[in-house]
Amino acid sequence: MSRRILIIEDEPHIVMGLRDALEFEGFGVLSASLGRDGIALAQAESPDAIILDLMLPDMNGYAICEAIRAVSGTVPIIMLTARSQETDKIRGLDAGADDYVTKPFSVNELIARIRAIFRRSVRAPPMGVDPQLIQIGDARINLGAHTVQRNGAEEQLSFYEVELLKLLSQRVGQAVGRDEILQKIWGLGASPSNRTVDNFIVKLRRKIEKSSDRPSHILTVYGFGYKLVP
Ligand code: CA
């Protein structure tokens, strides 16, 4: 059965362009032009990924993202933002988006990101075969269930947070370059202005470290990348 992508966007020409391109790639496409319809579709249809516009007539994208996260902790969400300010992107990531694309965007790049998401989720072993538990400090992480337990509380990890942890935990104690992370996880070429990896590291530290400002497990290797010291 083909993977289904839900597009939540009110600009018809963008929906049309994305629908054509995604269907050409063999994906099924659902779409909604209002936030509340998008949330209802996300809940009723369980799409495999969601493309969410930040600016919609009835609700803002952050609120939609949070509402979808409340019912589906793990579906990959890519946010479309018309603005290029870094704060919008970080706010979107905080609301639970996995990635963002700034308008005007290249449909091909967006599709490349979606394909990369699905390539990786196919590679992951089925749940139950390998519980995929890792311990980092006092945080106990289940990579299969996308959860982190700490101090008696459980939090969800997003798709990209899990992918980052998988990559870093395969190379414990070794520095992993930012460019390599960007390429392997997001399927993107290196760009000095791309802060995607850093933004996700910030989010992971908040969930795993005792003090996210003074991390003792997910360490920065200045001018290069990151290193995991469990
Ligand atoms: Ca819009």
Side-chain angles (χ1 to χ4, degrees):
M1 203 176 91
S2 68
R3 308 256 195 188
R4 294 181 313 154
I5 319 280
L6 169 61
I7 304 168
I8 308 175
E9 162 67 280
D10 62 315
E11 288 162 72
H13 69 281
I14 293 183
V15 177
M16 206 186 300
L18 280 174
R19 179 185 286 278
D20 284 351
L22 288 166
E23 286 178 348
F24 184 78
E25 294 288 323
F27 294 113
V29 176
L30 304 160
S31 67
S33 57
L34 290 175
R36 61 170 183 271
D37 297 341
I39 295 166
L41 268 180
Q43 194 161 12
E45 301 288 337
S46 303
D48 297 287
I50 297 173
I51 298 169
L52 168 64
D53 184 37
L54 182 60
M55 306 293 283
L56 289 158
D58 62 330
M59 289 175 73
N60 81 53
Y62 306 121
I64 296 166
C65 200
E66 281 168 356
I68 291 170
R69 273 285 166 261
V71 292
S72 168
T74 56
V75 61
I77 300 175
I78 298 176
M79 197 175 264
L80 303 178
T81 160
R83 291 169 280 184
S84 59
Q85 276 92 0
E86 200 66 21
T87 47
D88 286 332
K89 295 171 183 171
I90 293 169
R91 202 174 150 206
L93 297 176
D94 280 343
D98 293 291
D99 204 352
Y100 49 79
V101 171
T102 305
K103 289 180 179 177
F105 59 91
S106 140
V107 171
N108 287 336
E109 186 193 320
L110 183 55
I111 286 175
R113 291 196 198 190
I114 290 169
R115 293 173 77 150
I117 285 171
F118 292 143
R119 263 201 308 279
R120 284 189 307 273
S121 57
V122 165
R123 264 203 326 255
M127 273 164 70
V129 172
D130 174 5
Q132 298 179 275
L133 294 175
I134 58 172
Q135 184 84 31
I136 301 176
D138 58 2
R140 188 174 172 78
I141 292 143
N142 186 328
L143 295 172
H146 288 227
T147 54
V148 52
Q149 292 176 326
R150 214 173 135 237
N151 302 328
E154 185 173 283
E155 265 194 284
Q156 286 285 324
L157 293 169
S158 75
F159 175 82
Y160 284 107
E161 289 168 344
V162 167
E163 292 298 318
L164 245 178
L165 279 176
K166 279 185 193 165
L167 181 57
L168 293 175
S169 64
Q170 283 161 5
R171 309 249 291 269
V172 160
Q174 295 173 37
V176 183
R178 189 183 280 103
D179 295 348
E180 181 187 342
I181 296 171
L182 199 57
Q183 210 276 320
K184 282 196 171 151
I185 297 186
W186 278 270
L188 297 177
S191 138
S193 65
N194 194 319
R195 298 206 50 232
T196 300
V197 176
D198 311 80
N199 292 338
F200 274 89
I201 291 285
V202 169
K203 294 177 61 180
L204 267 180
R205 280 175 175 159
R206 279 191 213 134
K207 294 183 179 176
I208 288 167
E209 299 277 359
K210 277 199 172 71
S211 159
S212 57
D213 298 334
R214 285 177 291 127
S216 50
H217 302 291
I218 302 174
L219 307 181
T220 301
V221 180
Y222 288 97
F224 182 69
Y226 295 96
K227 161 166 101 171
L228 178 66
V229 179

